[in-house]
């Protein structure tokens, strides 16, 4: 017969409520009692039933991961980070991809919270930056944590994880300038993402700091995709005075740019330096391997989820944390040809 919570309580010599508190990682239980219950759980091979927990009380033990992002590596890293926090705290994960541009996105997310009985949401860009989405979730008292690009939270809107993309862009552009590059192009991601705006701002700031003139022909709008990198690089390569280096808004774009450049017969990095952003597996799977900016997405997601759960349990917790991406120098950048 299947082991029940009653069996665990009897074996440990405690109440059913105490077993529930231990399995839910509630902080009010003495360590000696926690050890006793965990010993019983291990001895009986007890497996808590999430559905039963959710139906039995007013609390939910499921966290929703909400995203609209074409980058599979980004999604996997975020998912792994959230899962790590959920497993540690006794929660489960509900994954919900969506279209941030949909006219019914607010109704979609509020319905998800209500009918899936979610304890909270981890929101990633561009949803975490959409005032309409945040207003709709606030109106139904939904718990959420936002992961956003920026140096500070302009809106002061609840739990926030800040990623200082501008700093990372300044640093990676400065790396190219220090190598001697003066003609540097920028391949953009989707413009409705704040990360794109922050990275472009950092790129421009690095040029200004070093007294370099910005050539608007070197700014190519695109999307966060390999194909966008191919298209953008082809446009730059065809210019009469092509750049000697490219800053791509993420590694997927950079990989596409590298592919296009090599098809055009260019030697990377001798003829053209290319750098990316995020330090995804793309950066290590290309040849040469990409110089990029390390962004610890799994850690970012884990910390975001831990803040969300801590707030829900009314534990003392910080409401904001900032991550600062840093350059990783590999083989796709070098001094420009004389």
């Amino acid at each position: 017969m299947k082991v029940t919570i009653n069996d665990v309580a009897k074996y440990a010599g405690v109440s059913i409520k105490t077993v529930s508190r231990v399995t839910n990682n509630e902080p009010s239980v003495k360590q000696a009692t926690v050890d006793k219950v965990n010993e019983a759980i291990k001895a009986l091979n007890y497996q808590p039933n999430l559905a039963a927990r959710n139906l039995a009380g007013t609390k939910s033990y499921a966290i929703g991961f909400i995203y609209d992002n074409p980058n599979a590596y980004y999604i996997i890293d975020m998912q792994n980070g959230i899962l790590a926090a959920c497993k540690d705290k006794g929660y489960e994960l509900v994954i919900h991809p969506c279209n941030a541009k949909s006219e019914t996105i607010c109704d979609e997310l509020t319905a998800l919270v209500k009918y899936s009985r979610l304890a909270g949401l981890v929101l990633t860009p561009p949803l975490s930056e959409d005032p309409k989405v945040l207003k709709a979730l606030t109106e139904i008292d939904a718990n959420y944590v936002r992961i956003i690009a920026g140096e500070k939270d302009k809106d002061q809107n609840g739990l926030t994880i800040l990623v200082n993309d501008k700093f990372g862009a300044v640093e990676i552009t400065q790396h190219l300038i220090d190598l001697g590059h003066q003609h540097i192009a920028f391949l953009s991601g989707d413009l409705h993402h704040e990360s794109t705006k922050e990275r472009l701002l950092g790129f421009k700031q690095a040029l200004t700091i070093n007294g370099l003139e910005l050539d608007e022909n070197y700014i190519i709008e695109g999307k966060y995709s390999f194909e966008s990198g191919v298209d953008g690089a082809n446009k730059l390569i065809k210019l009469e005075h092509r750049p000697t280096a490219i800053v791509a808004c993420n590694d997927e774009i950079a990989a596409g740019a590298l592919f296009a450049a090599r098809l055009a017969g260019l030697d990377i990095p001798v003829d053209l330096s290319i750098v990316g952003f995020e330090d995804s597996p793309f950066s290590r799977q290309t040849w040469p391997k990409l110089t990029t900016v390390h962004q610890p997405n799994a850690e970012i997601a884990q910390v975001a989820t831990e803040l969300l759960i801590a707030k829900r349990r009314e534990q003392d917790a910080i409401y904001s944390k900032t991550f600062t991406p840093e350059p990783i120098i590999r083989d796709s950048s070098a001094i420009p040809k004389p």
Side-chain angles (χ1 to χ4, degrees):
M1 293 180 65
K2 184 175 180 180
V3 177
T4 69
I5 192 172
N6 293 328
D7 298 321
V8 175
K10 185 176 180 181
Y11 188 100
V14 299
S15 68
I16 294 173
K17 190 171 184 179
T18 297
V19 176
S20 177
R21 285 175 176 167
V22 172
T23 58
N24 293 332
N25 291 311
E26 293 185 13
S28 58
V29 186
K30 293 180 179 179
Q31 188 58 48
T33 304
V34 171
D35 294 341
K36 190 188 300 183
V37 171
N38 282 334
E39 183 180 341
I41 289 172
K42 185 176 180 180
L44 299 175
N45 194 26
Y46 172 63
Q47 299 293 327
N49 187 316
L50 174 68
R53 287 164 67 195
N54 281 337
L55 290 172
T58 58
K59 288 187 176 181
S60 167
Y61 297 92
I63 299 294
F65 171 34
I66 314 299
Y67 68 88
D68 176 7
N69 192 307
N71 187 336
Y73 290 123
Y74 175 85
I75 298 307
I76 291 170
D77 278 348
M78 285 286 166
Q79 178 180 309
N80 288 340
I82 297 170
L83 273 173
C86 285
K87 287 181 179 179
D88 182 56
K89 304 298 182 183
Y91 282 67
E92 293 293 331
L93 172 62
V94 174
I95 300 172
H96 187 80
C98 59
N99 178 5
K101 296 179 181 178
S102 169
E103 294 182 358
T104 60
I105 185 62
C106 292
D107 293 335
E108 178 183 339
L109 295 185
T110 52
L112 174 70
V113 173
K114 291 177 180 178
Y115 298 119
S116 297
R117 299 191 67 248
L118 297 179
L121 301 172
V122 178
L123 300 176
T124 56
L127 294 156
S128 58
E129 301 156 348
D130 188 333
K132 298 189 299 297
V133 168
L134 302 179
K135 182 174 183 290
L137 293 175
T138 300
E139 286 176 350
I140 62 168
D141 292 323
N143 296 311
Y144 59 81
V145 56
R146 299 179 301 142
I147 299 173
I148 62 174
E151 296 176 272
K152 59 182 180 179
D153 182 9
K154 301 172 185 176
D155 301 321
Q156 298 293 314
N157 199 328
L159 296 180
T160 306
I161 298 293
L162 293 159
V163 183
N164 195 344
D165 290 89
K166 186 176 78 170
F167 177 86
V170 169
E171 291 292 292
I172 198 67
T173 307
Q174 186 64 52
H175 162 67
L176 293 172
I177 294 170
D178 289 343
L179 288 172
H181 293 278
Q182 297 186 15
H183 308 289
I184 308 171
F186 185 88
L187 295 181
S188 143
D190 304 71
L191 290 177
H192 65 289
H193 283 254
E194 283 298 319
S195 58
T196 300
K197 299 173 186 176
E198 289 290 314
R199 292 171 192 180
L200 179 55
L201 188 62
F203 168 76
K204 291 179 176 179
Q205 183 173 312
L207 295 183
T208 300
I209 290 171
N210 290 275
L212 297 179
E213 186 176 344
L214 174 67
D215 187 338
E216 292 294 342
N217 292 320
Y218 286 174
I219 309 295
I220 307 295
E221 292 184 14
K223 298 183 178 297
Y224 282 113
S225 70
F226 182 91
E227 293 76 17
S228 181
V230 173
D231 293 341
N234 280 331
K235 291 176 183 177
L236 293 171
I237 290 168
K238 291 175 183 177
L239 292 175
E240 182 178 356
H241 300 290
R242 64 173 175 80
T244 62
I246 294 174
V247 175
C249 221
N250 77 347
D251 294 330
E252 201 167 349
I253 296 171
L258 192 152
F259 177 77
R262 295 188 70 175
L263 280 183
L266 299 179
D267 186 327
I268 309 299
V270 175
D271 297 317
L272 179 67
S273 288
I274 298 175
V275 301
F277 210 106
E278 290 179 9
D279 192 25
S280 74
F282 264 107
S283 66
R284 300 179 291 279
Q285 293 167 353
T286 61
W287 183 259
K289 293 180 181 179
L290 287 169
T291 292
T292 186
V293 178
H294 177 63
Q295 182 171 300
N297 288 324
E299 182 184 354
I300 289 169
Q302 182 172 349
V303 171
T305 309
E306 289 170 349
L307 292 186
L308 183 64
I309 294 173
K311 181 191 175 187
R312 184 170 182 268
R313 291 177 172 173
E314 298 181 347
Q315 296 173 332
D316 291 335
I318 57 174
Y319 278 73
S320 178
K321 182 175 176 61
T322 301
F323 285 85
T324 303
E326 297 181 349
I328 292 182
I329 311 305
R330 296 199 180 106
D331 306 321
S332 66
S333 56
I335 61 174
K337 288 175 71 173

